[in-house]
Amino acid sequence: MSFRPIVPLTLALCFSGQALAFGNPDTWTRGYAQGTAEYAILGKGQSQLYLACDSSGYQAATIIFTDVNGHQVSMDSSQTLTMKIDNADEADISESESHVGSGNVMWAWNKLRTGRHVVVTGSGAKPAVFTLKGAAGVIPAFGDNGCVAKFDIQ
Protein backbone atom coordinates (compact mmCIF):
# COMPACT_ATOMS: atom_id res chain seq x y z
CA MET A 1 0.00 0.00 0.00
CA SER A 2 1.35 3.40 -0.97
CA PHE A 3 1.02 6.32 1.45
CA ARG A 4 1.78 8.91 -1.21
CA PRO A 5 -1.93 9.63 -2.10
CA ILE A 6 -2.92 10.34 1.51
CA VAL A 7 -0.01 12.69 2.37
CA PRO A 8 -1.75 15.86 1.07
CA LEU A 9 -4.95 14.96 2.94
CA THR A 10 -3.01 14.28 6.13
CA LEU A 11 -1.21 17.61 5.89
CA ALA A 12 -4.46 19.46 5.24
CA LEU A 13 -6.08 17.89 8.29
CA CYS A 14 -3.07 18.69 10.47
CA PHE A 15 -3.13 22.37 9.61
CA SER A 16 -6.88 22.99 9.26
CA GLY A 17 -7.37 23.55 13.00
CA GLN A 18 -4.91 26.43 12.93
CA ALA A 19 -7.10 28.33 10.48
CA LEU A 20 -10.13 27.92 12.73
CA ALA A 21 -8.33 29.14 15.85
CA PHE A 22 -7.27 32.65 14.86
CA GLY A 23 -4.75 34.12 17.27
CA ASN A 24 -1.60 33.14 19.09
CA PRO A 25 -1.17 31.73 22.58
CA ASP A 26 -0.68 34.51 25.12
CA THR A 27 -0.01 37.11 22.39
CA TRP A 28 -2.53 39.55 20.91
CA THR A 29 -2.77 39.40 17.13
CA ARG A 30 -4.71 41.25 14.48
CA GLY A 31 -6.02 40.30 11.10
CA TYR A 32 -8.19 41.79 8.38
CA ALA A 33 -10.61 40.02 6.07
CA GLN A 34 -13.42 41.33 3.86
CA GLY A 35 -13.80 44.66 5.63
CA THR A 36 -13.53 43.25 9.15
CA ALA A 37 -10.63 43.95 11.49
CA GLU A 38 -10.09 41.09 13.92
CA TYR A 39 -8.20 41.04 17.22
CA ALA A 40 -7.64 37.84 19.18
CA ILE A 41 -5.67 35.96 21.77
CA LEU A 42 -5.60 32.25 22.56
CA GLY A 43 -5.40 30.92 26.09
CA LYS A 44 -5.35 27.48 27.69
CA GLY A 45 -7.12 24.61 25.96
CA GLN A 46 -9.56 25.97 23.36
CA SER A 47 -9.98 29.34 25.07
CA GLN A 48 -9.96 32.45 22.91
CA LEU A 49 -10.98 36.08 23.24
CA TYR A 50 -11.98 37.45 19.84
CA LEU A 51 -12.94 41.02 19.00
CA ALA A 52 -13.99 42.26 15.55
CA CYS A 53 -14.94 45.59 13.99
CA ASP A 54 -16.55 46.33 10.63
CA SER A 55 -14.26 48.96 9.10
CA SER A 56 -17.25 50.90 7.74
CA GLY A 57 -18.78 51.32 11.20
CA TYR A 58 -22.20 50.22 9.87
CA GLN A 59 -22.19 47.04 11.98
CA ALA A 60 -21.60 46.78 15.71
CA ALA A 61 -18.34 45.49 17.10
CA THR A 62 -18.32 41.85 18.14
CA ILE A 63 -16.82 40.15 21.18
CA ILE A 64 -16.78 36.35 21.28
CA PHE A 65 -15.37 34.33 24.15
CA THR A 66 -14.54 30.64 23.84
CA ASP A 67 -13.77 28.75 27.05
CA VAL A 68 -11.20 26.02 27.63
CA ASN A 69 -13.68 23.35 26.45
CA GLY A 70 -14.71 25.19 23.27
CA HIS A 71 -18.02 26.61 24.57
CA GLN A 72 -18.68 29.98 22.86
CA VAL A 73 -20.46 33.01 24.28
CA SER A 74 -20.94 36.17 22.24
CA MET A 75 -22.06 39.71 22.86
CA ASP A 76 -25.50 40.83 21.60
CA SER A 77 -26.81 37.26 21.40
CA SER A 78 -29.04 37.00 24.51
CA GLN A 79 -26.19 35.37 26.44
CA THR A 80 -24.44 36.65 29.56
CA LEU A 81 -20.87 37.79 28.94
CA THR A 82 -18.67 39.45 31.56
CA MET A 83 -15.11 40.71 31.94
CA LYS A 84 -13.13 41.47 35.07
CA ILE A 85 -10.07 43.51 34.19
CA ASP A 86 -7.33 43.65 36.84
CA ASN A 87 -8.94 44.60 40.16
CA ALA A 88 -11.87 46.54 38.67
CA ASP A 89 -15.48 45.48 39.17
CA GLU A 90 -16.84 42.88 36.79
CA ALA A 91 -18.30 44.51 33.67
CA ASP A 92 -21.42 43.08 32.02
CA ILE A 93 -20.76 43.26 28.28
CA SER A 94 -23.66 41.02 27.26
CA GLU A 95 -25.22 43.62 25.01
CA SER A 96 -24.36 46.90 23.33
CA GLU A 97 -27.85 47.85 22.16
CA SER A 98 -28.81 49.94 25.21
CA HIS A 99 -27.14 53.12 26.38
CA VAL A 100 -25.90 51.40 29.56
CA GLY A 101 -24.77 48.28 27.68
CA SER A 102 -22.87 50.31 25.10
CA GLY A 103 -21.17 52.23 27.91
CA ASN A 104 -20.12 48.97 29.57
CA VAL A 105 -18.73 47.61 26.31
CA MET A 106 -16.84 50.84 25.59
CA TRP A 107 -15.37 50.90 29.12
CA ALA A 108 -14.29 47.23 28.98
CA TRP A 109 -12.92 47.50 25.41
CA ASN A 110 -10.77 50.51 26.30
CA LYS A 111 -9.69 48.90 29.59
CA LEU A 112 -8.42 45.90 27.58
CA ARG A 113 -5.89 48.32 26.10
CA THR A 114 -4.54 49.49 29.47
CA GLY A 115 -4.96 46.54 31.84
CA ARG A 116 -2.64 43.69 32.79
CA HIS A 117 -5.04 40.74 32.59
CA VAL A 118 -8.72 39.95 32.04
CA VAL A 119 -10.95 37.18 33.35
CA VAL A 120 -13.79 36.43 30.92
CA THR A 121 -16.83 34.25 31.54
CA GLY A 122 -20.36 33.87 30.29
CA SER A 123 -23.45 31.69 29.99
CA GLY A 124 -22.40 28.09 30.65
CA ALA A 125 -18.72 28.88 30.12
CA LYS A 126 -15.78 28.27 32.38
CA PRO A 127 -13.86 31.47 33.25
CA ALA A 128 -10.57 32.02 31.43
CA VAL A 129 -7.72 34.44 32.07
CA PHE A 130 -5.95 36.24 29.22
CA THR A 131 -2.94 38.53 29.35
CA LEU A 132 -3.35 42.10 28.13
CA LYS A 133 0.35 42.61 27.55
CA GLY A 134 0.74 44.15 24.10
CA ALA A 135 -3.02 44.61 23.61
CA ALA A 136 -2.73 48.41 23.35
CA GLY A 137 -0.58 48.03 20.24
CA VAL A 138 -3.12 45.73 18.59
CA ILE A 139 -6.63 46.73 19.72
CA PRO A 140 -7.79 50.21 18.61
CA ALA A 141 -9.65 52.55 20.95
CA PHE A 142 -13.40 51.99 20.96
CA GLY A 143 -14.95 54.31 18.38
CA ASP A 144 -11.93 54.07 16.06
CA ASN A 145 -11.65 51.83 12.99
CA GLY A 146 -15.39 51.09 12.96
CA CYS A 147 -15.39 49.72 16.52
CA VAL A 148 -18.82 50.92 17.65
CA ALA A 149 -21.68 49.63 19.80
CA LYS A 150 -25.05 48.55 18.42
CA PHE A 151 -26.53 51.56 20.26
CA ASP A 152 -24.42 53.89 18.08
CA ILE A 153 -25.68 52.55 14.75
CA GLN A 154 -29.42 52.38 15.44
Side-chain angles (χ1 to χ4, degrees), residues 63-84:
I63 300 175
I64 301 172
F65 165 60
T66 306
D67 76 3
V68 68
N69 296 320
H71 178 76
Q72 278 193 349
V73 180
S74 58
M75 181 178 92
D76 291 324
S77 65
S78 301
Q79 297 175 304
T80 301
L81 182 61
T82 63
M83 287 184 178
K84 182 170 176 58

Side-chain angles (χ1 to χ4, degrees), residues 42-59:
L42 299 177
K44 293 181 180 174
Q46 297 179 49
S47 66
Q48 178 190 49
L49 184 55
Y50 171 88
L51 295 77
C53 302
D54 177 69
S55 60
S56 69
Y58 294 125
Q59 292 185 18

Side-chain angles (χ1 to χ4, degrees), residues 132-143:
L132 296 176
K133 182 179 179 184
V138 175
I139 303 170
F142 201 74

Side-chain angles (χ1 to χ4, degrees), residues 9-136:
L9 175 62
T10 303
L11 289 174
L13 291 173
C14 287
F15 295 110
S16 64
Q18 291 177 347
L20 298 174
F22 170 69
N24 290 319
D26 300 318
T27 303
W28 281 91
T29 57
R30 85 176 103 210
Y32 189 82
Q34 298 180 345
T36 301
E38 303 172 310
Y39 316 96
I41 188 167
L42 299 177
K44 293 181 180 174
Q46 297 179 49
S47 66
Q48 178 190 49
L49 184 55
Y50 171 88
L51 295 77
C53 302
D54 177 69
S55 60
S56 69
Y58 294 125
Q59 292 185 18
T62 300
I63 300 175
I64 301 172
F65 165 60
T66 306
D67 76 3
V68 68
N69 296 320
H71 178 76
Q72 278 193 349
V73 180
S74 58
M75 181 178 92
D76 291 324
S77 65
S78 301
Q79 297 175 304
T80 301
L81 182 61
T82 63
M83 287 184 178
K84 182 170 176 58
I85 301 167
D86 298 334
N87 294 322
D89 290 338
E90 188 173 72
D92 182 350
I93 59 163
S94 302
E95 57 88 18
S96 70
E97 195 167 5
S98 71
H99 185 50
V100 171
S102 68
N104 288 347
V105 170
M106 181 176 67
W107 178 86
W109 186 289
N110 287 329
K111 197 76 170 152
L112 290 173
R113 302 178 74 244
T114 61
R116 292 185 312 270
H117 68 275
V118 59
V119 179
V120 187
T121 192
S123 300
K126 292 186 176 188
V129 179
F130 300 96
T131 184
L132 296 176
K133 182 179 179 184

